[in-house]
Structures are given as C-alpha cells and as structure tokens.
C-alpha cells in the first residue's frame, strides 16, 4: 500500500476466528483507496464448497467496503462444486476451473495401486477408494491406502511390520518439495505408525530413511508428527515416500488410512504448466478487471469501481442467493458501466405515425443499443414503437 498499489490480490484464506491485525491491514488499505480482491475459499476436506455465511473464511468475511470476495464458476458459468459461497459474504463469480497457469514446479498425486507392499503377517496394506463426507452430507470417493485391507470393519494384526512405499521422479530436479495427505484412524499404545522419506527408489525403513511417528499417546489417535518430514531429499530428482505400521502383541485397533496424497515441488528454470482449479484462479481475473477500470478512469473512486464490477456482470442462476450480486464478472460490461454517461432528457410527446428524432446524449460507448418504451401501453403498446438507433460524433 505504501508503495503505491491500487489493487491487491489475495488468493488465500482460511477458517478460524477474525484476526484483528489482518482486518486492520484491510482497513489501512481502505484509507489509501486501495481495492482488495480475495478468494472465497475451496470448500471442505472432501472438496465441496461451504457457506461462508455459516462458516466464516477470512479475509473473505471481512466487511470493509474496499473488499471484493470472489467465488469460482465453471465454463457453463455455474458455481464450481468446490467453491465456497455466501449470500452476504461472497460478492461475484469468475472463471476458476481448468485455468491454464504456470506452476512453480511439477506436482504428483497417486492412487496407491503401484506401491510396493510388504508384511510379516498375512494382513498388510490395501488400496482402493474411500468415501469422504462433506459438510453438506454429500460423499466423494478419493484414492486411499489403509491397514488392514478391511479397514472400517476389521482391525490390524498383532506382531506385524507392514510397509508400503513408492518412488516419485521429477525432471528437472526440484529445489523444494512439500508433502500433504489426509490421515485418519487409531492404533493401540505401544504400536507405531511411521512416515519415512529417502532418496532413490528403495524401502525407506530398511535403507535408513528418516522416520516420523504419528500418534497421540493418550488417545491413540493418529496425528501430524511433531516435526516436518524432510521431503527436501526429493531434490535428488527421485525420492521414496513410505508408511509403516509396526505392532506388538498387546492388542490391535482400527489402523491407519491415508488419502489424497500429493507431492508438490518448486524448481528453477522450469517451464511447467498446469490446469488449475480454485477460487485462487478466479480472484486474479477480478483483480485484473479492477486494474483495467482504474486505468480506464483514474478519477473513479473505489466504491464506483466495485459497484461497476458487481452490477455489470452476467447474471448466473447458480450464483443467485449464493453471492451478493448473483453475477459473473464481465470486463466489457464493467468498462461500459464505469465510463457510461447519459444526459437526462425530458418527456417527449409523440404523434402516432409521425417520425420524430429524439437525441439522447451518451458518452463512453463505441456502440449503442437503445430501446424505446411507451407509458401508455393501452393505446400504444411497446411493440408499436419502431425506429432506428444511431450514434453520431467521435
């Protein structure tokens, strides 16, 4: 803000309580007439959009007037299934699916079908899909691996050492990497569930990989480790990620389930491109339109810019009741809106069957479509008014 920014794009957000410092930053931007465009958010763990009016997401749910919150729509201008929404908190929609974008580095996911698996007993790891339940009760199937193979109806074996692992190869070799996955389940105190990583394609638990334990020793629930897994070893271009369940004879439990595993990287000199989905993709489109309007009419106030964007978009039924405007943004319409000027004209009495010119002074448009209507529809229906609309002047 202090360096002259007029538009700030925030393709970020999260739940929780209102952060006063964050809110103060938005207010400071407002005092400098800076417009802040923010993402509505990308739904719950199952990928289904949630109502921000009921479950606040910040900065979208901040209420400052210089803020525009953006939902994502698909190619049919329908609200994307993953996009958050809110009749009072989310303002407009913008394209946010299948957006071709540069990426910092390659990203890989897995369905776990090609993973190596070993077991010292007859049970071990299985793979398939699991149904996750969204906040609205709908279910979505995602790839997963679990131990035991009948996870949910059975329990894992005692006195077993079950391992599963797979290697991931990147070209060019990345400088940074991050691993994310969904973990659920429980194990008995005295048993161990470990995640490990090592360079090259090998069993990380036998080859000296770095292991991290996931266990709440009080409840037995599986939890994030206390330190970060050193996936920077993937900078060797090929690395192996693995999971291990090691148990004793004292008992058994539900076991671990892992789903939605993704390995993201950052690489130098990469020309990686990808099709991305998200409200983070939709938000920059609105930021770009905002900058376009400011450049087109520098004297316009932030309120005028925002009003032009929110009222000139294309109506979208799936955004009605889900956003404050019910519209998908339109750059051309917003430009026309911010530059349009119409001088008032007095009422004119016309004689039926007699041609008469009615000048309408309009500025800010290169093309004009003019509709004439009659106040006396009983005598002269609207359909009876015919004529030609023309533009004169520069």
């Amino acid at each position: 803000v202090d360096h002259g920014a007029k538009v700030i794009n925030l393709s970020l957000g999260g739940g929780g309580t209102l952060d006063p410092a964050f809110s103060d930053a938005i207010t400071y931007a407002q005092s400098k007439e800076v417009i802040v465009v923010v993402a509505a958010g990308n739904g719950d763990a199952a990928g289904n959009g949630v109502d921000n009016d009921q479950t606040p997401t910040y900065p979208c749910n901040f209420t400052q007037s210089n803020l525009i919150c953006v939902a994502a729509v698909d190619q049919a201008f329908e609200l994307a299934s993953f996009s958050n929404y809110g009749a009072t908190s989310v303002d407009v929609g913008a394209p946010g699916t299948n957006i071709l974008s540069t990426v910092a580095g390659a990203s890989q996911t897995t369905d776990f079908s090609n993973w190596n698996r070993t077991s010292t007993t007859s049970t071990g790891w299985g793979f398939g899909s699991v149904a996750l339940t969204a906040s609205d009760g709908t279910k979505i199937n995602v790839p997963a691996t679990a131990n035991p193979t009948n996870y949910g109806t059975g329990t894992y074996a005692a006195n077993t050492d079950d391992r599963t692992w797979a290697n991931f190869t990147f070209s060019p070799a990345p400088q940074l990497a991050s691993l994310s996955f969904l973990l659920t389940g429980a194990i008995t105190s005295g048993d161990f569930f470990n995640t490990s990583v090592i360079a090259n394609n090998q069993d990380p638990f036998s080859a000296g990989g770095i292991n991290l334990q996931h266990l709440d020793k009080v409840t037995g629930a599986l939890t994030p480790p206390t330190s970060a897994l050193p996936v920077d070893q993937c900078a060797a271009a090929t690395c192996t990620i693995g999971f291990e369940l090691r148990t004793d004879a004292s008992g058994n439990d539900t076991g671990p389930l892992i789903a939605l595993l993704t390995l993201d990287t950052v690489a130098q000199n990469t020309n990686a491109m990808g099709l991305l989905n998200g409200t983070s993709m939709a938000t920059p489109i609105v930021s770009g339109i905002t900058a376009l309007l400011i450049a087109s009419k520098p004297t316009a106030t932030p309120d005028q810019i925002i009003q032009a964007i929110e009222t000139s978009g294309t109506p979208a039924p799936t955004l009605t009741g889900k956003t404050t405007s019910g519209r998908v943004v339109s750059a051309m319409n917003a430009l026309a809106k911010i530059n349009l000027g119409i001088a008032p004209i007095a009422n004119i009495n016309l004689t039926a069957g007699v041609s008469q010119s009615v000048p309408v002074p309009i500025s800010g448009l290169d093309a004009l479509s003019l509709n004439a209507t009659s106040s006396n529809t009983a005598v002269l229906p609207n359909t009876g008014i015919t004529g030609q609309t023309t533009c004169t002047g520069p």
Side-chain angles (χ1 to χ4, degrees):
V1 172
D2 289 341
H3 292 279
K6 294 299 181 184
V7 184
I8 296 176
N9 184 90
L10 294 179
S11 289
L12 52 81
T17 58
L18 186 151
D19 182 348
F22 199 171
S23 180
D24 288 346
I26 304 293
T27 300
Y28 181 71
Q30 182 180 21
S31 72
K32 300 296 183 179
E33 297 192 335
V34 176
I35 297 173
V36 183
V37 187
V38 305
N42 296 330
D44 55 22
N48 291 300
V50 300
D51 186 349
N52 284 359
D53 290 354
Q54 302 299 321
T55 307
T57 295
Y58 295 99
C60 178
N61 279 70
F62 288 136
T63 58
Q64 289 88 333
S65 63
N66 63 322
L67 186 144
I68 308 174
C69 184
V70 185
V73 298
D74 60 19
Q75 286 86 341
F77 275 23
E78 294 185 351
L79 181 68
S81 61
F82 58 78
S83 177
N84 288 1
Y85 53 89
T88 64
S89 56
V90 180
D91 298 305
V92 294
T97 63
N98 296 317
I99 305 298
L100 183 63
S101 174
T102 56
V103 293
S107 178
Q108 294 189 32
T109 59
T110 179
D111 64 2
F112 301 101
S113 62
N114 63 343
W115 283 48
N116 300 285
R117 298 174 187 84
T118 64
S119 176
T120 57
T121 64
S122 58
T123 57
W125 291 91
F127 71 94
S129 63
V130 61
L132 299 181
T133 302
S135 58
D136 62 0
T138 59
K139 294 182 180 297
I140 180 173
N141 291 324
V142 298
T145 185
N147 192 326
T149 56
N150 59 341
Y151 182 90
T153 60
T155 56
Y156 60 78
N159 293 316
T160 192
D161 186 349
D162 299 338
R163 304 174 184 180
T164 183
W165 71 92
N167 78 299
F168 297 82
T169 300
F170 297 94
S171 181
Q175 278 65 57
L176 299 171
S178 65
L179 175 68
S180 63
F181 56 87
L182 175 66
L183 173 64
T184 188
I187 60 177
T188 301
S189 179
D191 297 337
F192 297 91
F193 172 72
N194 302 314
T195 301
S196 186
V197 61
I198 195 170
N200 302 317
N201 184 18
Q202 53 191 322
D203 177 354
F205 302 100
S206 297
I210 299 176
N211 299 345
L212 294 179
Q213 294 183 15
H214 303 255
L215 179 63
D216 185 320
K217 294 183 178 180
V218 176
T219 65
L222 296 171
T223 62
T226 56
S227 58
L229 192 69
V231 290
D232 56 333
Q233 295 189 51
C234 296
T238 298
C239 66
T240 298
I241 305 294
F243 301 105
E244 177 190 39
L245 177 63
R246 192 169 72 250
T247 69
D248 59 19
S250 62
N252 47 32
D253 208 326
T254 304
L257 181 144
I258 300 102
L260 299 174
L261 186 144
T262 302
L263 192 59
D264 296 309
T265 69
V266 175
Q268 292 181 348
N269 303 318
T270 180
N271 59 358
M273 300 284 290
L275 291 175
L276 301 179
N277 299 326
T279 54
S280 288
M281 299 296 103
T283 303
I285 293 176
V286 180
S287 294
I289 294 175
T290 303
L292 185 65
L293 267 59
I294 292 173
S296 175
K297 191 172 183 179
T299 58
T301 67
D303 286 345
Q304 291 171 332
I305 296 289
I306 292 173
Q307 192 266 350
I309 291 172
E310 294 183 356
T311 61
S312 66
T314 303
T318 60
L319 295 183
T320 301
K322 296 292 183 72
T323 62
T324 62
S325 70
R327 297 174 181 267
V328 178
V329 293
S330 167
M332 288 296 295
N333 290 352
L335 276 172
K337 186 84 171 182
I338 199 68
N339 288 290
L340 181 63
I342 303 178
I345 59 175
N347 291 332
I348 298 176
N349 294 321
L350 302 177
T351 302
V354 178
S355 177
Q356 183 173 343
S357 296
V358 181
V360 182
I362 299 177
S363 61
L365 292 179
D366 293 325
L368 172 65
S369 176
L370 181 63
N371 294 316
T373 61
S374 168
S375 62
N376 189 352
T377 57
V379 176
L380 184 62
N382 294 343
T383 55
I385 299 178
T386 61
Q388 179 180 346
T389 58
T390 60
C391 283
T392 59

